[in-house]
Amino acid sequence: MHRFGIGREIRASAPQRVLKWISSFSISRSISSLAFATVEVEEISGSRPAEVHNLVQGKWARSFHWNTLVDPLNGEPFIKVAEVDEAGTQPFVESLSKCPKHGLHNPFKAPERYLLYGDISAKAARLLSLPEVSNFFTRLIQRVVPKSYQQAQGEVNVTQKFLENFSGDQVRFLARSFAVPGNHLGQQSHGFRWPYGSVAIITPFNFPLEIPLLQLMGALYMGNKPVLKVDSKVSLVMDQMMRLLHACGLPMEDVDFINSDEKTMNKLLMEANPRMTLFTGSSRVAEKLAVDLKGRIKLEDAGFDWKILGPDVQEVDYVASVCDQDAYACSGQKCSAQSMLFMHENWASSPLISKMKELAEKRKLEDLTIGPVLTFTTEAMLDHKNKLLEIPGSKLLFGGEPLENHTIPHVYGALKPTAVYVPLEEMLKENNYEVVTQEIFGPFQVVTDYKAEQLPMVLDAIERMHAHLTAAVVSNDVAFLQEIIGKSVNGTTYAGLRARTTGAPQNHWFGPAGDPRGAGIGTPEAIKLVWSCHREIIYDMGPVPPHWQTPPPT
């Protein structure tokens, strides 16, 4: 809502100035017609399918191969994606090969491009603050990955604020250097942030604007030449965002945008040999790419994320609401979604679960507070539920049934928000642990409880997990917080009564910890870590000491 307010203020105070600025970037129609866009969101349908193109060497291009996508809400073919096959990767290979290892800009080369990207960010942020543009991208996100309007709008707002954060001089501040005095007059060592050159970005379906845009701009800010691949199911969103960025001054040649299957993208990576690849997605693919790319990779992979409720029970309604949002917003399709809830026995005897059940049952398909699951079928999720219920002492807390009265195609999942209780002792058994901690990228969580003396068992459970993305410790007990935080590793951890696992804004680091390949997103620290490396330049100007003589060899 804050961004909407900015948009109204701009138009009310200086409408002619805004429209003049828009036209200066080759937008010939009024702002309400969104001249950068090539689709009308509400008209995308089987009779008027949208098209997604590729961008390579500064030109938009179609393909001989079209992948037709079906609407996840009704199964109607509604988007045609021009997908590049293995025979069509050469233009992308050539494009990346033109970028030198020292990048398109660095502190010693074309420094004016730092200012250019500050400018682009400012203009793009201003556009996204306008209600018409914000609504366009919000609705576009909803069309390809159905989630509530508020959830989709939140993604647009975070993206807008990120661009605002890196306006003006903030891009060049990312390349801030330092100097250390040397051993003698004329000697100084300087540390610089240096680009990699050609890079690749591979992002998933669940946040089709926020993740690719934030990582793309971070790569560009630091001087890299990226090829961007977004999951084809949702790549229409970045197709349109690329066109907005071009209207804001992004040079057409600076970014390549490809649509392809996994096999083709893997071939491109092997042939183009980018200096660094950012991958956000499944652990299976991440591990394969880490081997294929010989470790030249940064990962933000799967997250089986946990929440621990401490001994101090308070604000039960609030905590229940946050648990519901963490587990079931976006139908659980967040890498930060609450996958496992550990309740202290004090919470187990509170009305928390009954309140969570009430909230879960209010979610409905009509407003997309629950919706299609794009990577798991209904049958797969029900099968997982049944496997958990085979564990002694386990029970279904709520959900566990398919959604009713819908037209969601069978290739996608449709499940009511689900929670399964598994006893802590059983969970930790070797033959159960792998099943219990399997990530289900949908509206599904595992719940357990523990007594005070069982806290070491809880810590053992989280120690054995392999993905350490987000976590929450819900307690205002300082000693309890110190115990959990000191014996865990998740990269983005919320602590305190209002702790959550999801909803990361642009103002703090979001990413895993405990893995040297871990990638962050959103902050200056994340951008510098992922998209640049350290280079040390030692100046040694002299003078040579008076009466210097050649010393004997050593």
Side-chain angles (χ1 to χ4, degrees), residues 82-219:
E83 289 206 342
V84 176
D85 62 13
E86 291 185 71
T89 59
Q90 194 55 36
F92 294 89
V93 174
E94 292 173 358
S95 182
L96 287 181
S97 69
K98 293 177 183 176
C99 179
K101 293 178 183 177
H102 55 260
L104 299 178
H105 62 266
N106 61 53
F108 288 76
K109 173 188 173 183
E112 64 276 6
R113 281 174 53 89
Y114 293 115
L115 307 184
L116 169 67
Y117 275 99
D119 242 11
I120 294 168
S121 296
K123 293 181 172 96
R126 186 172 300 173
L127 264 183
L128 276 182
S129 75
L130 299 176
E132 299 93 331
V133 181
S134 174
N135 180 67
F136 171 79
F137 281 103
T138 299
R139 288 290 292 126
L140 197 60
I141 291 167
Q142 283 192 295
R143 294 302 305 273
V144 295
V145 53
K147 57 178 90 172
S148 71
Y149 191 89
Q150 292 81 0
Q151 286 289 316
Q153 185 185 62
E155 185 176 344
V156 177
N157 290 346
V158 166
T159 302
Q160 188 273 339
K161 200 66 180 176
F162 169 86
L163 290 166
E164 201 172 69
N165 284 347
F166 291 98
S167 299
D169 287 325
Q170 297 308 311
V171 174
R172 69 166 144 201
F173 288 162
L174 291 170
R176 189 190 303 270
S177 60
F178 65 83
V180 177
N183 293 336
H184 49 256
L185 183 63
Q187 186 185 73
Q188 283 186 336
S189 59
H190 290 248
F192 294 94
R193 299 310 302 178
W194 216 255
Y196 290 103
S198 64
V199 298
I201 303 168
I202 304 172
T203 62
F205 76 92
N206 55 333
F207 286 86
L209 178 65
E210 181 182 339
I211 296 177
L213 190 282
L214 268 60
Q215 295 291 15
L216 174 68
M217 297 308 289

Side-chain angles (χ1 to χ4, degrees), residues 11 16 97 154 164 172 300 308 353 378 388 406 435 476 494 504 529 535 546:
R11 292 198 299 156
Q16 296 305 314
S97 69
E164 201 172 69
R172 69 166 144 201
E300 194 237 287
I308 298 175
I353 295 298
T378 305
L388 291 176
H406 65 79
V435 176
N476 281 346
Y494 297 88
L529 172 82
R535 185 182 186 188

Side-chain angles (χ1 to χ4, degrees), residues 17-60:
R17 179 165 55 86
V18 172
L19 292 177
K20 182 179 179 182
W21 172 77
I22 292 295
S23 65
S24 73
F25 281 83
S26 303
I27 299 179
S28 58
R29 293 176 284 166
S30 69
I31 182 62
S32 62
S33 63
L34 304 185
F36 66 83
T38 60
V39 299
E40 293 286 350
V41 179
E42 308 304 335
E43 296 179 7
I44 301 174
S45 62
S47 59
R48 296 193 63 178
E51 291 188 359
V52 183
H53 300 160
N54 300 286
L55 177 66
V56 62
Q57 298 186 28
K59 296 180 180 178
W60 286 103

